[in-house]
Amino acid sequence: MKLTSLNYQLVRLYLALMDNHSLSETAKHQHLSMASASRGLAKLDEIIGTPVFTRTFQGMMPTAKAYEIKGVMEKLAASFKELENHKEFNPKDLSETFTIAAADNAAFLILRPVVLEMMKQAPNVSLDIRPLDYSTFDSLRKGGLDLAIYPNVEVPEGFHFLNLFKVKRACLVRKEHPLAIQYRKTGKISIEDIVKYPRIMISDRHSSRDPVYSSDSALLKTQRTVIRIPYFLAAPQFLLQTDYTLLINAPVAEFFALGKEYEAIPFPGVSETLTTRIIWHDRVQKDPANQWLRSLFVGFAGYE
């Protein structure tokens, strides 16, 4: 082995391929061309003295040698990272891609101001926004994600979180919905009033397991659900020309109510609030780039 030629980029290439088995995805996230990634893989084979990955219909699959050197490569990566952390941190020097999982309403309401500040401080970084799913915590643990934005979720051991703000909820309906007319006349509606009408429920459920996230409320358990949809920003379109209701985060409801088609009514279950938080794994707890990323969220937080 010509170990003196082994650099951090090759170690990162190896670890990424061990995780995702995709040379194209690895090249994208490490800002490499496919040609550069292929040359790096060939260089790695030359240094190790035998093929480390083999190309199959399932992607770049690790060879026995790849598994044999895994522990050593992980230690090398940690050592390279520690050396890198001793440099004085300046976000302007960053050129990496941060990967964040979020529902569409979080991307709309939370990420926009963060991204504007991010690009101002670190103009060469990129952002890869992905949906929340059942593998989110596993991806945070393995390195597929840097951060997740989640409401009201239990955080497993080995993870950290920071509460950003509490979010109240609202009942969104079309402007001339009977509930909207009642609210404009009396200034109030009750749970009993809401459950008389069918509802649209925002819920991201892919199996018999609990949903990844949901807008459901125990107070509305007797209300008939006519549409179940995982998209916060698409759901309001189904309210038009119907008497359906939609329980949704108040900031999103208020945004739609800025126009002439919707009415946002405060949800009578005033004690029901959601806590929006960012979550990350201990793997990136002390990483300067990720610490800087999290600080951007703190700047726009309003947690009480």
Side-chain angles (χ1 to χ4, degrees):
M1 296 186 190
K2 303 174 183 177
L3 291 180
T4 53
S5 302
L6 193 61
N7 58 37
Y8 190 24
Q9 182 173 304
L10 292 179
V11 173
R12 290 177 64 228
L13 180 72
Y14 161 85
L15 291 174
L17 285 173
M18 288 293 287
D19 181 52
N20 61 37
H21 304 158
S22 170
L23 192 61
S24 59
E25 185 175 339
T26 296
K28 175 185 173 183
H29 288 295
Q30 297 190 7
H31 295 283
L32 299 172
S33 66
M34 277 296 293
S36 295
S38 295
R39 285 195 297 271
L41 188 56
K43 183 70 173 176
L44 187 61
D45 289 345
E46 179 186 345
I47 293 170
I48 301 303
T50 187
V52 182
F53 295 91
T54 184
R55 192 182 302 275
T56 73
F57 71 94
Q58 296 176 309
M60 302 298 296
M61 301 306 293
T63 63
K65 177 60 73 172
Y67 287 109
E68 182 184 328
I69 64 174
K70 187 171 185 288
V72 174
M73 296 295 266
E74 288 174 339
K75 289 179 182 177
L76 278 173
S79 297
F80 276 123
K81 196 67 177 176
E82 187 176 354
L83 282 171
E84 191 176 62
N85 290 347
H86 283 292
K87 292 166 48 182
E88 184 177 350
F89 179 77
N90 185 339
K92 282 187 168 58
D93 296 332
L94 293 176
S95 60
E96 58 194 271
T97 297
F98 291 106
T99 307
I100 297 176
D104 61 334
N105 67 323
F108 175 66
L109 291 172
I110 301 172
L111 281 177
R112 182 177 176 274
V114 170
V115 168
L116 290 175
E117 185 62 25
M118 175 188 296
M119 297 309 175
K120 179 181 175 182
Q121 295 187 28
N124 296 316
V125 303
S126 303
L127 195 61
D128 186 354
I129 303 172
R130 301 183 181 182
L132 296 169
D133 58 32
Y134 291 112
S135 67
T136 294
F137 282 98
D138 194 45
S139 295
L140 287 168
R141 184 184 296 108
K142 291 182 177 179
L145 290 171
D146 294 297
L147 196 71
I149 304 174
Y150 240 124
N152 283 29
V153 66
E154 185 176 342
V155 179
E157 185 178 351
F159 289 82
H160 305 265
F161 69 91
L162 175 69
N163 291 331
L164 297 179
F165 39 71
K166 291 181 179 178
V167 180
K168 294 182 179 179
R169 298 200 275 182
C171 180
L172 188 67
V173 295
R174 64 181 176 87
K175 200 73 171 180
E176 297 308 315
H177 190 289
L179 288 176
I181 296 172
Q182 176 184 334
Y183 180 69
R184 290 197 294 271
K185 285 182 178 179
T186 67
K188 61 182 180 179
I189 61 169
S190 66
I191 295 295
E192 290 72 22
D193 294 326
I194 294 175
V195 297
K196 293 176 185 177
Y197 300 93
R199 66 173 170 173
I200 299 168
M201 182 191 293
I202 297 172
S203 177
D204 192 6
R205 182 194 297 272
H206 304 288
S207 67
S208 59
R209 299 160 61 184
D210 290 338
V212 178
Y213 54 82
S214 172
S215 67
D216 195 14
S217 168
L219 298 175
L220 302 178
K221 61 183 179 181
T222 62
Q223 189 177 22
R224 186 168 77 93
T225 301
V226 291
I227 297 174
R228 194 184 301 269
I229 183 173
Y231 310 116
F232 288 83
L233 302 185
Q237 301 302 316
F238 295 95
L239 297 174
L240 302 176
Q241 299 180 325
T242 73
D243 282 342
Y244 301 161
T245 69
L246 174 64
L247 182 63
I248 199 168
N249 296 350
V252 176
E254 290 161 4
F255 171 80
F256 279 96
L258 291 174
K260 298 179 179 180
E261 297 178 308
Y262 300 96
E263 184 89 19
I265 304 171
F267 184 55
V270 292
S271 62
E272 288 200 352
T273 58
L274 301 175
T275 300
T276 300
R277 56 183 44 158
I278 56 173
I279 301 171
W280 64 95
H281 189 256
D282 192 59
R283 176 182 58 80
V284 295
Q285 169 71 357
K286 296 181 180 180
D287 175 59
N290 274 270
Q291 289 175 338
W292 166 78
L293 175 65
R294 296 193 295 268
S295 74
L296 298 179
F297 286 89
V298 174
F300 294 96
Y303 190 82
E304 297 176 359

